[in-house]
Amino acid sequence: TNKKLVVLGSVNADHILQVDSFPRPGETVTGHGYRVVAGGKGANQAVAAGRLGADIALIACVGNDDFGRNIIKTLSADGILTTGVITVPDTPTGIAIIYVDGKGENSIGISAEANAHLLPEVVEPHLTLLDHADALLMQLESPIITVELMARLAHHAGKTVVLNPAPARPLPDSLLANVTMITPNETETEILTGVTVKTEEEARKAAAVFHAKGVEKVIITLGSKGAFISDELGMRTIAGFSVSPVDTTAAGDVFNGALITALLEGKTMDDAVRFAHGAAAISVTRLGAQTSIPTRNEVDTFIEKEYCST
Ligand code: RIB
Ligand code: NA
């Protein structure tokens, strides 16, 4: 039987505008391609896992609006169990305002809205989802008190607790002590460990800080340089795939959803990271968060092709 995953996190309506360059203070720029697509780090990671074949349930809050009602349907269509997606009365779904520039880079402002209601008493009726799961994946767009509670419950029940510490913020050691695997980028690593990660030597130092706080596995994503791994097998860097970026929004989310999906299937850490690199690379060539997440077939084909051509 398949190992099961629970994702706890945010759902956002992403309002995207493509611009040649980001507006500076006091400046107005004319953009194009305005659209509203499904986003939010929690939902993005859940959709990546669901689309790639994981057995997954999402715990999240949406607003009592058209977007909230619609997203529940599209999440189910991606294979996600949505009994833990709670509709909050008189509150809009979370939102993100996103500029994407000509280089595919983004600038994002978010407002939690319904996501702020994902509090312990709201989550409690859905804890049976966690009982049935092997792993829990969380980010930091949800109330920290809930992230801490869930990490503690899951860790004490012997489950794998994965934390993608995004967006960056300092965290208490008591939370890290309940995290099995952490997946920060360079900025998040610096905020959490005080170590600036420019070289592999520095990545080793940062990983040692996380291990000292009780985290077993550390995966530091290095953008175009790939990902640094530190686990029971040692420390190494696995290169990513180079693609021409259209929109890097949610690349980290796709990496996380894909990584845990592959690990739950029993892939080795190195193969799981390669699989996650492939999924993230495809997503970077497409606009939008959930609109850019590839299917299993696309990732398998991409990886096969990349390894045959090198
Ligand atoms: O990680 C990308 C996500 O961050 C976007 O979908 C946006 O909603 C913000 O939460
Ligand atoms: Na994308």
Side-chain angles (χ1 to χ4, degrees), residues 247-249 283-289 292:
D247 178 7
T248 55
T249 308
S283 78
V284 160
T285 65
R286 301 172 181 169
L287 191 65
S292 75

Side-chain angles (χ1 to χ4, degrees), residues 253-277:
D253 298 332
V254 176
F255 180 89
N256 276 275
L259 177 67
I260 183 88
T261 299
L263 290 172
L264 288 174
E265 282 174 13
K267 280 195 176 26
T268 63
M269 179 62 85
D270 291 17
D271 283 346
V273 167
R274 285 186 193 101
F275 179 79
H277 277 327

Side-chain angles (χ1 to χ4, degrees), residues 10-14 38-41 44 95-96 98 108 110 141 249-253 289-290:
S10 58
V11 174
N12 289 335
D14 288 359
K41 294 187 194 305
N44 295 344
I95 63 148
I98 305 182
I108 308 183
I110 60 173
E141 279 181 355
T249 308
D253 298 332
Q290 283 158 49

Side-chain angles (χ1 to χ4, degrees), residues 17 127 178 186:
L17 190 64
L127 286 177
N178 288 322
E186 289 145 302

Side-chain angles (χ1 to χ4, degrees), residues 60-81:
C61 282
V62 298
N64 184 15
D65 51 20
D66 287 343
F67 189 91
R69 280 182 282 279
N70 200 47
I71 189 74
I72 294 179
K73 290 184 208 145
T74 63
L75 293 170
S76 309
D78 276 313
I80 298 162
L81 179 64

Side-chain angles (χ1 to χ4, degrees), residues 13-296:
D14 288 359
H15 293 252
I16 310 173
L17 190 64
Q18 289 177 278
V19 295
D20 292 333
S21 56
F22 299 124
R24 281 162 305 166
E27 188 187 11
T28 300
V29 301
T30 299
H32 64 279
Y34 170 73
R35 65 197 78 187
V36 182
V37 306
K41 294 187 194 305
N44 295 344
Q45 295 183 17
V47 167
R51 235 171 250 181
L52 295 171
D55 190 335
I56 176 206
L58 175 64
I59 300 179
C61 282
V62 298
N64 184 15
D65 51 20
D66 287 343
F67 189 91
R69 280 182 282 279
N70 200 47
I71 189 74
I72 294 179
K73 290 184 208 145
T74 63
L75 293 170
S76 309
D78 276 313
I80 298 162
L81 179 64
T82 57
T83 55
V85 179
I86 302 136
T87 302
V88 182
D90 304 321
T91 305
T93 300
I95 63 148
I97 307 289
I98 305 182
Y99 290 114
V100 178
D101 77 358
K103 296 183 200 118
E105 280 181 295
N106 61 56
S107 167
I108 308 183
I110 60 173
S111 178
E113 309 298 338
N115 295 309
H117 293 256
L118 193 66
L119 293 164
E121 62 269 26
V122 173
V123 169
E124 219 224 79
H126 303 280
L127 286 177
T128 46
L129 291 170
L130 186 61
D131 295 339
H132 296 118
D134 299 281
L136 170 68
L137 170 61
M138 300 187 288
Q139 320 74 34
L140 299 175
E141 279 181 355
S142 304
I144 193 73
I145 185 176
T146 308
V147 173
E148 292 187 276
L149 170 74
M150 293 295 285
R152 191 165 70 237
L153 292 175
H155 182 77
H156 288 173
K159 318 217 180 254
T160 300
V161 178
V162 185
L163 181 66
N164 172 229
R169 54 159 285 169
L171 294 173
D173 286 352
S174 56
L175 169 57
L176 293 175
N178 288 322
V179 170
T180 321
M181 177 163 117
I182 197 159
T183 59
N185 64 18
E186 289 145 302
T187 317
E188 291 147 10
T189 301
E190 181 167 353
I191 287 171
L192 292 171
T193 64
V195 180
T196 312
V197 180
K198 287 269 182 301
T199 62
E200 183 159 312
E201 184 55 36
E202 287 161 338
R204 287 170 181 268
K205 251 192 237 160
V209 174
F210 283 122
H211 292 315
K213 292 179 193 286
V215 183
E216 281 169 40
K217 298 167 201 281
V218 178
I219 316 293
I220 304 176
T221 53
L222 306 168
S224 58
K225 285 172 285 171
F228 171 84
I229 306 171
S230 177
D231 63 5
E232 66 284 355
L233 298 179
M235 298 189 184
R236 64 270 184 208
T237 296
I238 299 212
F241 302 106
S242 78
V243 289
S244 309
V246 170
D247 178 7
T248 55
T249 308
D253 298 332
V254 176
F255 180 89
N256 276 275
L259 177 67
I260 183 88
T261 299
L263 290 172
L264 288 174
E265 282 174 13
K267 280 195 176 26
T268 63
M269 179 62 85
D270 291 17
D271 283 346
V273 167
R274 285 186 193 101
F275 179 79
H277 277 327
I282 297 172
S283 78
V284 160
T285 65
R286 301 172 181 169
L287 191 65
Q290 283 158 49
T291 44
S292 75
I293 300 175
T295 61
R296 180 59 181 248

